Amino acid sequence: MAEAATSAPAAESQLDPARLPPVPYKKTVVLVNNFVINSVEFLNRFAALTEKKLSSLSQGIQRLEVMLSILEGKLDSIPGMEDLSAPAASSSAAPAAPAAPAAPAAPA
């Protein structure tokens, strides 16, 4: 029984690829066509799904823009709101970015 297990890999390594018959052209064409068809169907489904999701997302953004415009209009209609400013940033907020460095002085 041990001899059969050791002889199997030896038999496989003795196969000469040059002596094997070629794969029939018809079989190769069928396999390639099948691959192309499956790939195209997958890509079409993927494109349709992503387009549907992007369309839904775009509609949501448009709704938010309309709601924001309505809110801004309502806030602008309140008298006396022009003089108010935004509250000062709290100390827990991120520190302000440093100012840009000054331009170098011209040589004298």
Side-chain angles (χ1 to χ4, degrees):
M1 182 93 99
E3 290 177 16
T6 58
S7 65
E12 289 177 10
S13 65
Q14 293 176 357
L15 287 178
D16 185 14
R19 292 186 181 192
L20 293 176
V23 177
Y25 290 114
K26 287 184 178 183
K27 185 174 183 178
T28 302
V29 169
V30 167
L31 291 172
V32 170
N33 284 342
N34 190 24
F35 171 77
V36 169
I37 289 169
N38 288 335
S39 297
V40 168
E41 287 175 350
F42 166 76
L43 290 172
N44 284 338
R45 283 192 309 264
F46 180 76
L49 179 65
T50 54
E51 187 174 345
K52 182 179 175 183
K53 287 183 178 185
L54 283 173
S55 175
S56 174
L57 185 63
S58 176
Q59 288 175 350
I61 290 172
Q62 286 177 350
R63 270 183 284 178
L64 286 173
E65 287 176 346
V66 168
M67 290 170 48
L68 182 61
S69 295
I70 292 171
L71 179 61
E72 287 174 346
K74 287 181 178 181
L75 290 175
D76 288 342
S77 70
I78 299 174
M81 290 296 288
E82 301 85 26
D83 298 337
L84 296 177
S85 62
S90 65
S91 61
S92 64

